[in-house]
Amino acid sequence: MEFNAPAGRNLFDASKVVGKSTPRIDGPLKTTGQAPYAYERHDVVANQAYGYIVGSAIAKGRISAMDAEAARAAPGVIAVILATETKPVGKGMSNNAPLFGGSDIAHYHQAIACVVAETFEQARSAAALIRTSYDRSAGRFDFPKLAPDAPLAKDEEGKPDRQTVGDFDSAFAAAEVKIDATYTTPDESHAMMEPHATIAAWDGDKLTLWTSNQMINWGKESMGKILGMDPKNIRLDSPYIGGGFGGKLFIRADAVVAALAAKQAKRPVKIALQRPLMANNTTHRHATIQRLRIGAGRDGRITALAHENWSGNINGKEGENGTLQTPVLYAGANRLIANYIATLDLPEGNAMRAPGEAVGHLALEVAMDELAEKLAMDPIELRIRNEPKSTVPGKPEKRFSDRNLVRCLREGSTRVGWDRRKAKPGSVRDGQWLVGMGVAAGYRAAPANKSAARVRLDGNGGIIVETDMTDIGTGSYTIIAQTAAETLGVPLEKVKVTLGDSDHPAAAGSGGQWGAASSTAGVYAACVTLRQKIGQTLGFDGDKAEFAGGKIKANGKSFDLAEAGKLSVDGGIEFGKFKDDYDVGTYAAHFAEVAVNAYTGEARIRRMLAVCDAGRILNPLSARSQVIGAMVMAAGAAMMEELVVDTRFGFFVNHDLAGYEVPVHADIPAQEVVFLDTLDPIISPLKAKGVGELGICGVGAAIANAMYNATGVRVREYPITLDKYFERMPMLT
């Protein structure tokens, strides 16, 4: 099916299943410990051995010698593979650093060896016996020092990533009110609960990987490139993923080394990366330096807006584009957007939940708060006053598909009691606590990608859906089942969903906030194809029949779905070029109330509210879970999360969950999420957009603005930790 025109009225506008709050159908398996995660697939293949990866002890240089004799002689050891004895593997999609093989070291904890043994403990013990000598080289580890000389990044067309509209310099110079501020965000870890893990098994020249991967088809194609083999001979299976946040979008060393080790050991090998290697061996969110310059008239209307962003990466490409939201959120005739990227010898930076926008809002939305204060204007009013018309600023040919940001701001302000906020910082007290409120707008793009599924009738009136779409804790199983149940007119309990297997038709996968919109559209398209085949089997036009309650009404007759017997179809959806004329996005207004102890400086979030505009909400229950989870991550980014770089030796020091602080239950209050009753006919037949990344866009800025409103101390270096504001807090008597 090709989606080549805006969706009209369809069956989802009178839905009985889609759009209803539905407990996750995979919930009982997860809460009882029965959901099989990658490392726990004990029954998929016999005789599994344990692999343990050794990471490089230097960040830059070469291995001069490796001695593994003691390791090979250790009890239980089956095989030892060394990088120095292995030809470097190829690079798959977004592998910007070597995954295994050769003597060159590109970053700290790069995989240089793997010990395979009968037990995990034997493998770990033997790995400690490997002796490695290095020739260390000087490395580029200090991003803030390198950033000023960083060149412009390249856009998707290979051109310098600098865009201008109008004459920013002249407009900024002439502006009546100006903001010129620089904000910094640190490197961050995905810190998901489930480690990167893989079981690899060979059957002749065919390889199966039971792994934890968000993008099955990408992973299959990448493994083919990495190992130099036909992807048709590779199978990936990831039915359950214990968190990814972008860290499992691409093939990492666990999968590659498990495959190499299994071939050498001549038996299946399972590997889970130890926690320190998750920080330094895999990927992370890049640090940024962002400069915002905003010029406005006394009426608050923006006349000049510049957002420049610096980040770094191991290959001098693919940085953290903090400017992504800036061309879309606010009006203004004169604009400058630019991205610069430094080349670093730190572990590779890559996608982490809402890459670009998550950190970009931390700068832009705080700069808007600072502008509002200079104007003596309410921050919500400033945002509303700069709401674009019907097209993207500077692009009159590109319309907004559906945009309700102003409504989000207004409804949120009423619900949160914004009228009680005091504009003067530090003026609200609650005993020993200084109390402040903050607001921020949020934008995240809402793409939809080609997606397919197989839908089968089981002969008893039940539906089986098979697709390589993944569920990374987002609720994919449930919304896919809801879509099939709605389209084929059966109760939800009559639908069985199988996900994450590359033997199934390729879906869009989980990433970029496209998963829900894409996969449900693909399942809908496959179900429509099945309706047509059912009609052919029973003698009616499937497109005109009514499917409801497990029955079919057509041509004045009634049929049981079971009468069609066992049928199977593959189908999917592709998206037409008409969507290029639109900016399809999601929007939110985020509010936070923060209290700061006047004597100790302890900061506590008291209230959080998100009002979201994301089209039809397929399952409000799981959508809310997605948003509040994103809000928690945003709170972490704002107040505590930071991978600390040792600029002498080039590694992340706090590479475990003891040193890398993330929010816990005590840090987060009750959260409120409101979804607007909007539909977007441009996105897909279901008129639904993703929300999983919208929830992290703007929340941190709302918290930062609330901290300032509470204390009068503006911190522009994230995270906002005690050492950055305590000495500047007002003295109270």
Side-chain angles (χ1 to χ4, degrees):
M1 174 188 293
E2 183 170 305
F3 184 63
N4 52 23
R9 183 165 180 81
N10 58 34
L11 62 90
F12 298 106
D13 295 317
S15 60
K16 300 178 180 63
V17 185
V18 169
K20 305 300 185 288
S21 285
T22 305
R24 284 165 46 169
I25 60 179
D26 53 315
L29 288 175
K30 291 180 175 178
T31 55
T32 58
Q34 298 178 75
Y37 292 91
Y39 201 68
E40 302 161 352
R41 305 291 296 276
H42 308 297
D43 59 338
V44 293
V45 63
N47 203 27
Q48 298 174 18
Y50 290 81
Y52 191 91
I53 290 178
V54 177
S56 168
I58 68 167
K60 188 71 174 175
R62 285 181 59 81
I63 300 171
S64 57
M66 294 189 79
D67 182 355
E69 292 308 307
R72 288 181 167 126
V77 170
I78 301 163
V80 176
I81 62 171
L82 304 179
T84 52
E85 299 173 353
T86 306
K87 179 183 176 181
V89 299
K91 289 186 179 180
M93 187 176 186
S94 279
N95 295 145
N96 297 324
L99 292 178
F100 196 76
S103 297
D104 291 336
I105 300 299
H107 63 84
Y108 187 79
H109 269 172
Q110 177 180 316
I112 61 169
C114 178
V115 175
V116 180
E118 296 291 349
T119 70
F120 170 79
E121 291 79 9
Q122 289 172 332
R124 180 179 59 184
S125 177
L129 300 176
I130 295 175
R131 295 291 175 258
T132 306
S133 301
Y134 302 94
D135 292 326
R136 190 192 304 268
S137 302
R140 296 160 292 191
F141 307 134
D142 196 333
F143 167 60
K145 286 187 177 180
L146 293 166
D149 297 320
L152 279 165
K154 300 292 179 63
D155 62 19
E156 293 180 356
E157 298 177 354
K159 300 176 181 177
D161 192 0
R162 187 178 190 274
Q163 303 100 43
T164 59
V165 176
D167 184 350
F168 167 78
D169 290 333
S170 297
F172 186 71
E176 296 175 288
V177 181
K178 303 174 187 177
I179 290 292
D180 186 346
T182 298
Y183 308 83
T184 64
T185 65
D187 298 291
E188 294 176 43
S189 174
H190 301 87
M192 69 290 282
M193 285 196 297
E194 182 199 24
H196 295 75
T198 300
I199 299 171
W202 291 88
D203 182 5
D205 61 353
K206 296 185 184 301
L207 171 66
T208 300
L209 301 172
W210 294 273
T211 189
S212 189
N213 187 278
Q214 296 175 227
M215 303 291 296
I216 300 302
N217 195 52
W218 286 6
K220 179 176 178 173
E221 295 295 322
S222 288
M223 280 300 295
K225 293 179 180 178
I226 291 167
L227 299 180
M229 58 186 290
D230 189 339
K232 293 179 181 178
N233 290 330
I234 300 171
R235 177 187 171 216
L236 266 65
D237 189 25
S238 298
Y240 297 96
I241 299 168
F245 311 121
K248 296 174 182 174
L249 283 173
F250 310 108
I251 291 293
R252 305 306 318 166
D254 61 297
V256 175
V257 175
L260 296 174
K263 177 163 279 191
Q264 183 158 325
K266 295 182 172 55
R267 60 188 280 191
V269 170
K270 64 193 310 177
I271 290 176
L273 290 188
Q274 52 269 43
R275 186 64 60 173
L277 265 66
M278 291 176 64
N280 284 295
N281 174 273
T282 69
T283 64
H284 64 280
R285 192 194 298 282
H286 328 57
T288 70
I289 299 169
Q290 300 178 57
R291 183 187 183 192
L292 263 295
R293 287 175 287 169
I294 309 176
R298 293 289 176 189
D299 62 357
R301 300 192 186 279
I302 294 172
T303 58
L305 174 58
H307 191 169
E308 294 173 282
N309 176 83
W310 288 260
S311 62
N313 208 349
I314 195 165
N315 59 347
K317 296 184 288 187
E318 299 183 31
E320 186 80 13
N321 184 351
T323 68
L324 284 174
Q325 69 291 318
T326 306
V328 177
L329 263 181
Y330 302 114
N334 303 285
R335 313 167 77 88
L336 166 65
I337 303 292
N339 279 280
Y340 305 85
I341 185 159
T343 300
L344 304 174
D345 296 311
L346 293 173
E348 152 183 16
N350 213 308
M352 181 171 164
R353 198 174 197 166
E357 289 104 330
V359 295
H361 283 80
L362 287 167
L364 175 64
E365 287 301 291
V366 172
M368 288 293 287
D369 202 66
E370 296 193 49
L371 179 63
E373 184 180 41
K374 260 195 172 181
L375 289 162
M377 181 178 291
D378 182 89
I380 293 178
E381 175 58 30
L382 175 64
R383 288 168 170 83
I384 292 174
R385 195 161 292 191
N386 287 286
E387 172 71 6
K389 301 298 183 184
S390 58
T391 62
V392 174
K395 295 183 178 180
E397 75 286 355
K398 203 170 189 80
R399 292 171 283 170
F400 293 112
S401 63
D402 185 58
R403 177 179 170 125
N404 299 280
L405 177 57
V406 170
R407 184 179 161 197
C408 290
L409 289 163
R410 286 181 170 150
E411 292 194 16
S413 67
T414 299
R415 190 175 287 264
V416 82
W418 186 257
D419 58 341
R420 298 193 298 273
R421 172 186 178 269
K422 303 298 182 185
K424 183 180 177 181
S427 60
V428 177
R429 290 282 301 272
D430 180 7
Q432 295 184 359
W433 298 86
L434 298 167
V435 182
M437 294 177 68
V439 65
Y443 166 85
R444 176 67 167 132
N449 298 328
K450 178 181 177 182
S451 199
R454 178 176 301 121
V455 185
R456 298 191 282 125
L457 297 183
D458 66 4
N460 297 309
I463 310 297
I464 300 168
V465 182
E466 298 169 332
T467 171
D468 82 352
M469 179 60 187
T470 53
D471 190 327
I472 59 174
T474 46
S476 300
Y477 279 99
T478 308
I479 59 173
I480 284 173
Q482 288 176 278
T483 303
E486 193 76 64
T487 310
L488 293 168
V490 300
L492 191 64
E493 60 268 18
K494 297 289 285 185
V495 181
K496 178 183 177 182
V497 178
T498 302
L499 299 181
D501 191 333
S502 65
D503 283 350
H504 299 331
S510 297
Q513 198 172 255
W514 61 63
S518 306
S519 64
T520 54
V523 169
Y524 164 72
C527 288
V528 169
T529 302
L530 182 58
R531 284 168 59 131
Q532 294 166 349
K533 190 167 184 176
I534 292 169
Q536 294 169 4
T537 302
L538 298 178
F540 57 80
D541 185 345
D543 289 332
K544 297 180 180 178
E546 177 186 347
F547 288 70
K551 296 184 178 297
I552 310 163
K553 292 181 180 179
N555 301 334
K557 298 179 181 180
S558 179
F559 304 85
D560 285 331
L561 191 60
E563 292 180 51
K566 293 185 177 181
L567 297 176
S568 177
V569 301
D570 286 11
I573 196 160
E574 297 188 31
F575 295 90
K577 292 290 186 181
F578 86 97
K579 294 182 69 173
D580 295 344
D581 296 333
Y582 297 89
D583 183 88
V584 185
T586 56
Y587 302 88
H590 293 292
F591 297 83
E593 181 180 293
V594 173
V596 182
N597 190 288
Y599 302 103
T600 68
E602 176 189 359
R604 286 286 179 188
I605 302 172
R606 286 190 169 185
R607 287 194 294 163
M608 302 175 81
L609 166 67
V611 182
C612 302
D613 170 30
R616 171 175 281 119
I617 303 301
L618 301 169
N619 182 359
L621 188 62
S622 58
R624 177 184 180 275
S625 292
Q626 280 299 287
V627 175
I628 65 173
M631 293 163 74
V632 170
M633 287 187 74
M639 301 183 75
M640 61 187 70
E641 292 191 40
E642 177 180 12
L643 281 172
V644 178
V645 180
D646 186 319
T647 56
R648 301 166 304 164
F649 300 113
F651 71 101
F652 299 126
V653 179
N654 53 335
H655 49 210
D656 56 37
L657 293 182
Y660 184 83
E661 294 192 34
V662 297
V664 296
H665 288 298
D667 297 311
I668 306 297
Q671 299 161 290
E672 187 177 2
V673 179
V674 176
F675 296 114
L676 300 188
D677 54 350
T678 55
L679 302 175
D680 192 334
I682 306 302
I683 178 74
S684 82
L686 284 81
K687 308 172 189 174
K689 296 182 277 196
V691 297
E693 299 188 348
L694 176 65
I696 201 173
C697 296
V699 176
I703 293 169
N705 292 335
M707 288 279 290
Y708 175 73
N709 185 242
T711 64
V713 180
R714 182 71 75 181
V715 178
R716 301 185 182 93
E717 302 81 31
Y718 295 96
I720 305 173
T721 48
L722 185 66
D723 56 299
K724 296 171 185 169
Y725 63 83
F726 182 65
E727 292 185 353
R728 293 190 283 154
M729 283 181 60
M731 299 296 293
L732 300 179
T733 57

